[in-house]
Amino acid sequence: MLERTVIVTGAGSARGIGRETCLRLATAGWTVAALDLDEGGARETAGLAAAVNGADAVGLACDVTSTEQVDAAVSAIERDLPPIAALVNNAGITAPTRFLDIEEDEWDRIFEVNVRGTYLVTRRVLPGLLERSNGRIVNLSSVSAVRGGGVFGGSHYSAAKAAVLGLTRALAREVGPRGITCNALAPGLIATDITGGKLTPERQAEMMADVPVRRAGTVGEVASMVVYLCSDDAGYVTGATLDINGGSHIH
Ligand code: NAD
């Protein structure tokens, strides 16, 4: 059994950033705990991660917006796996709705998963990291948060991912003295299924015309940055937002 565990939320989707992140972290020597709404997907990810490094990876059903489910999942991980040393808040949802068409329920759901979910899982995991004076937290934001949308998600998604950045920065300052780093990634369009078939080829071509490298990013390109942020070498990087957007936002 490898000696430290990383939790990755939203790690069940077959073509998603979360699954690839689990596989790359397994390659880097982490024991992987994959959480997702979709239990089957999470278990499949865990099986693939275990096959990479032979560690006892687990895949659990967990809705990150539920305090009870988050507590149950993290308690099981604390009981069964090596100490948790990193958390990747990757679970997220989006929708391409124009501002005046957003219903209150949709606004709330986007914030619930992206912001409240990040808060709830971090709140549950952080005490253990503080106890061991060691930890890495990586939050998935989006380039939408910093360039005024213009990617796929609507203004609610931009606002929620900007909230994730605010949380990342404030928490980095608060927990830095206790040996914990907290960083964010701001990806541009990455080829996954998050767009739920709602990204038309025309809209994608229009978006790519605005990207200097002229293509969508890959999950591997994002996952390898997460692996870096979780590594020992990244100990002097905190409160940072790492861009991975093909040059679509240069600042
Ligand atoms: P994805 O849809 O492939 O995967 C997201 C996963 O989160 C899914 O498996 C889904 O079941 C899970 N999930 C959704 N709600 C959940 C909940 N309440 N509790 C637990 N799990 C839940 O998406 P992806 O493209 O891999 O996105 C991963 C993260 O990266 C998200 O936070 C997303 O906002 C962010 N991101 C993606 C892109 C992109 O272009 N794909 C760009 C910028 C940021």
Side-chain angles (χ1 to χ4, degrees), residues 1-84:
M1 188 177 274
L2 301 163
E3 69 200 22
R4 39 187 203 172
T5 297
V6 58
I7 297 179
V8 181
T9 68
S13 71
R15 290 179 359 105
I17 292 168
R19 175 170 290 178
E20 184 64 19
T21 297
C22 288
L23 300 187
R24 302 263 177 147
L25 285 163
T27 303
W30 290 83
T31 297
V32 167
L35 309 187
D36 205 288
L37 277 180
D38 169 11
E39 183 176 13
R43 291 167 74 109
E44 205 173 291
T45 299
L48 293 167
V52 168
N53 66 14
D56 293 334
V58 298
L60 300 170
C62 175
D63 180 343
V64 296
T65 68
S66 156
T67 307
E68 295 72 27
Q69 289 188 33
V70 167
D71 182 48
V74 178
S75 296
I77 294 162
E78 287 174 337
R79 189 189 60 225
D80 298 337
L81 295 183
I84 298 163

Side-chain angles (χ1 to χ4, degrees), residues 10 13 16-17 36 62-64 90 92 141 157 161 187-188 190 192 194:
S13 71
I17 292 168
D36 205 288
C62 175
D63 180 343
V64 296
N90 170 74
S141 179
Y157 181 72
K161 291 302 195 185
I190 309 300
T192 73
I194 197 169

Side-chain angles (χ1 to χ4, degrees), residues 83-141:
I84 298 163
L87 165 64
V88 183
N89 284 304
N90 170 74
I93 56 168
T94 187
T97 318
R98 292 176 70 82
F99 181 72
L100 286 179
D101 297 326
I102 297 170
E103 304 280 355
E104 288 176 33
D105 281 355
E106 184 177 306
W107 178 276
D108 290 344
R109 190 66 194 151
I110 294 277
F111 268 74
E112 245 180 61
V113 178
N114 291 292
V115 187
R116 187 166 194 270
T118 299
Y119 158 63
L120 286 181
V121 183
T122 304
R123 184 180 72 164
R124 178 61 185 79
V125 169
L126 185 59
L129 304 182
L130 290 170
E131 218 170 84
R132 294 182 288 279
S133 303
N134 175 44
R136 301 271 187 261
I137 299 169
V138 181
N139 295 327
L140 267 291
S141 179

